[in-house]
Amino acid sequence: MNETITISLEKICVSTNFPYGEAWIPDEDKNLLQLSSSYYINSGFGNKDLEQFWVCSQDFILSRGEGLPGRVWLSKQPEWIIDVTIESEGYFLRNQIAKAFGVKSGFSVPVITQNQVLIVLAFFTSQTHSKDTKIIEIATNKAESLGQLLFNL
């Protein structure tokens, strides 16, 4: 399953020109989100700091509605943040880590099967990027495909 998620993250990153993608998985009790070991960083963008962003993010465990992935988990809707570094830590919990490692814009989409969120995917870039509905549409379509694939495993 991890390889399938990593491949999907890579496809979305390449399609959207966002160099970093991560996956958040609900625990068995469906009460908390934990960062998966599945992630993708496009090294062609020269973003060594994104690896450190992922490493520092591993200590975060999110509740439903908490942080970007938690809000997407709760709402079952994509969300975009133009500049995570100007958001409060209450809104974007990894604000200080983002500042330290040059992360700016981010968005997140749910992977839903039978009205249940299986995974929350999040993507970041070191550039400030206005909300782009085409990028969200690409990511949502690929997330739907991932959900169908995982459901059939």
Side-chain angles (χ1 to χ4, degrees), residues 134-153:
K134 184 175 180 182
I135 286 175
I136 291 173
E137 182 180 327
I138 290 167
T140 300
N141 288 339
K142 292 189 183 302
E144 286 175 9
S145 297
L146 174 60
Q148 291 171 357
L149 184 63
L150 293 175
F151 181 72
N152 292 323
L153 288 180

Side-chain angles (χ1 to χ4, degrees), residues 16-140:
T16 62
N17 286 325
F18 269 63
Y20 173 92
E22 62 188 20
W24 292 81
I25 311 288
D27 73 357
E28 292 177 10
D29 296 329
K30 306 290 187 239
N31 291 323
L32 299 172
L33 276 178
Q34 292 188 313
L35 187 61
S36 167
S37 61
S38 300
Y39 71 101
Y40 174 78
I41 297 173
N42 184 336
S43 59
F45 278 78
N47 289 315
K48 280 180 94 173
D49 286 344
L50 290 174
E51 182 81 31
Q52 288 302 312
F53 178 73
W54 182 78
V55 168
C56 291
S57 296
Q58 292 179 32
D59 291 335
F60 284 81
I61 297 174
L62 308 175
S63 299
R64 196 179 299 269
E66 185 179 38
L68 176 62
R71 287 191 302 276
V72 170
W73 183 26
L74 178 65
S75 71
K76 299 180 181 177
Q77 296 295 317
E79 184 178 326
W80 189 287
I81 301 176
I82 294 172
D83 187 348
V84 298
T85 65
I86 64 171
E87 299 295 342
S88 70
E89 284 188 50
Y91 189 75
F92 187 74
L93 300 177
R94 297 180 284 168
N95 170 294
Q96 295 302 313
I97 298 168
K99 285 179 184 176
F101 299 113
V103 172
K104 286 288 188 176
S105 291
F107 72 95
S108 185
V109 296
V111 176
I112 301 172
T113 300
Q114 295 186 330
N115 204 34
Q116 181 179 3
V117 177
L118 298 178
I119 305 167
V120 176
L121 305 177
F123 303 89
F124 297 96
T125 183
S126 58
Q127 306 297 317
T128 303
H129 199 306
S130 297
K131 183 176 180 179
D132 188 324
T133 55
K134 184 175 180 182
I135 286 175
I136 291 173
E137 182 180 327
I138 290 167
T140 300

Side-chain angles (χ1 to χ4, degrees), residues 1-9 23 25 38 119 121 146 150:
M1 181 165 109
N2 283 343
E3 184 177 338
T4 302
I5 295 169
T6 301
I7 290 168
S8 293
L9 289 168
I25 311 288
S38 300
I119 305 167
L121 305 177
L146 174 60
L150 293 175

